[in-house]
């Protein structure tokens, strides 16, 4: 059951990598991201309503887990997803998804810090393999750098690479912390649908408080590109489904294992990008090697 839910989350997140790219081209990210968050709440609320009406057991509330799910939503649903959407626009789905595969690394590090889970030398070696893979997936050939003086070119290339990589790294670290919070919460309160809704609510409130006023939101959506709104709506449905599947799988698997399966996006996104959609995005042999190292490091991290 846990493996099946994690694989379902992987499929939903992989499809979302392409949907986000299309959505960002039709509707600006600020409004589109809020649309997706509102859809998270609406779809999640509908699923929770179905659980309350059709479920065999009454919904009991574990309050410590309740607050942990809310906090996890701020890190995963707001910081993590906003950074990921931005990285897909800047890096493309293949390379952004390759960085996202480092989620288990951050999950294990935060688990070590917060719940005193010791890392073995095997864990450290796997983390180093993943870090090298992340670097390789974001490494550009020197011939792609702007031609100028050698010193200036190197400096500009380093700054540009850091600017491109930063949203993806922040997103991955935020997801890692959210994963630890969700994993701890679902152990005490096995309600993945309720947990997903709580996370969606806290993420939406964080975005409303920090980025955009709810006043006039409906009017802006009515004036926006219809296809763009539709793409962001689909993104919201995919992401809330993926989040709930990950939470559900963490109730049956170790959280690092559940996260490793659901975040191994390069195994789907890179082949589909290159072979089916012909989206190259600077994907080279080095990029493929980096994605392979990430996938191998993740497997090493959770299986050995």
């Amino acid at each position: 059951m846990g493996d099946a839910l994690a694989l379902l989350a992987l499929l939903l997140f992989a499809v979302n990598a392409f949907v986000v790219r299309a959505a960002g081209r039709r509707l600006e990210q600020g409004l589109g991201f809020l649309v997706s968050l509102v859809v998270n709440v609406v779809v999640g609320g509908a699923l929770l309503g179905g659980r309350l009406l059709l479920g065999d057991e009454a919904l009991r509330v574990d309050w410590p887990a309740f607050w942990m799910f809310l906090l996890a939503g701020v890190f995963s649903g707001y910081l993590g997803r906003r950074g990921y959407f931005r990285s897909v626009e800047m890096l493309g789905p293949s390379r952004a998804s390759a960085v996202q595969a480092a989620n288990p690394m951050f999950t294990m590090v935060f688990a070590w810090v917060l719940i005193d889970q010791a890392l073995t030398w095997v864990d450290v070696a796997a983390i180093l393999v993943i870090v090298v893979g992340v670097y390789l997936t974001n490494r550009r050939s020197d011939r792609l750098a702007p031609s100028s003086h050698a010193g200036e070119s190197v400096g500009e290339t380093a700054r540009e690479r850091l600017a491109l990589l930063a949203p993806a790294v922040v997103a991955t670290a935020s997801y890692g912390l959210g994963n630890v919070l969700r994993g701890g919460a679902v152990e005490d309160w096995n309600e993945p649908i309720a947990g997903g809704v709580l996370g969606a609510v806290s993420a939406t409130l964080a975005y409303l408080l920090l980025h955009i006023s709810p006043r006039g939101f409906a009017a802006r959506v009515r004036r926006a590109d219809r296809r763009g709104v539709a793409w962001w709506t689909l993104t919201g449905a995919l992401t809330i489904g993926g989040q709930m599947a990950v939470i559900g799988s963490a109730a049956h698997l170790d959280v690092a294992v559940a996260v490793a399966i659901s975040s191994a996006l390069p195994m789907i996104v890179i082949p589909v990008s290159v072979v089916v959609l012909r989206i190259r995005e600077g994907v080279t042999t080095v990029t493929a090697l980096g994605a392979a190292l990430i996938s191998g490091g993740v497997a090493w991290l959770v299986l050995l």
Side-chain angles (χ1 to χ4, degrees), residues 148-159:
S148 59
H149 298 295
E152 294 177 2
S153 177
V154 172
E156 291 175 3
T157 301
R159 287 194 297 270

Side-chain angles (χ1 to χ4, degrees), residues 39-103:
V39 172
N40 281 175
V41 176
V42 173
V43 173
L47 292 173
L48 181 59
R51 182 258 181 268
L52 294 174
L53 290 174
L54 304 176
D56 295 330
E57 299 180 2
L59 181 68
R60 67 172 185 86
V61 179
D62 183 291
W63 289 106
F66 178 97
W67 297 112
M68 287 177 69
F69 275 127
L70 281 176
L71 186 58
V74 174
F75 284 103
S76 296
Y78 170 64
L79 292 174
R81 214 163 1 131
R82 179 172 167 80
Y84 174 62
F85 286 170
R86 182 61 175 165
S87 68
V88 169
E89 290 185 355
M90 297 175 69
L91 297 173
S94 296
R95 298 170 75 197
S97 298
V99 178
Q100 198 71 13
N103 271 347

Side-chain angles (χ1 to χ4, degrees), residues 265-284:
L265 302 187
M267 293 188 295
I268 297 177
V269 173
I270 288 180
V272 172
S273 292
V274 175
V275 178
V276 179
L277 300 180
R278 308 292 182 181
I279 303 175
R280 300 297 177 180
E281 307 165 328
V283 177
T284 64

Side-chain angles (χ1 to χ4, degrees), residues 34-45 232-237 240:
L34 183 54
V35 169
S36 72
L37 288 177
V38 171
V39 172
N40 281 175
V41 176
V42 173
V43 173
W232 281 107
T233 299
L234 179 56
T235 291
I240 191 62

Side-chain angles (χ1 to χ4, degrees), residues 67-156:
W67 297 112
M68 287 177 69
F69 275 127
L70 281 176
L71 186 58
V74 174
F75 284 103
S76 296
Y78 170 64
L79 292 174
R81 214 163 1 131
R82 179 172 167 80
Y84 174 62
F85 286 170
R86 182 61 175 165
S87 68
V88 169
E89 290 185 355
M90 297 175 69
L91 297 173
S94 296
R95 298 170 75 197
S97 298
V99 178
Q100 198 71 13
N103 271 347
M105 176 187 73
F106 287 95
T107 301
M108 291 199 69
V109 169
F110 283 124
W112 173 47
V113 172
L114 297 177
I115 62 176
D116 198 27
Q117 180 182 2
L119 295 175
T120 66
W121 286 109
V122 173
D123 297 330
V124 173
I127 288 172
L128 292 176
V129 170
I130 293 172
V131 169
V132 172
V134 171
Y135 171 77
L136 291 178
T137 58
N138 289 277
R139 181 176 179 272
R140 293 179 181 272
S141 173
D142 291 338
R143 67 177 178 271
L144 297 178
S147 58
S148 59
H149 298 295
E152 294 177 2
S153 177
V154 172
E156 291 175 3

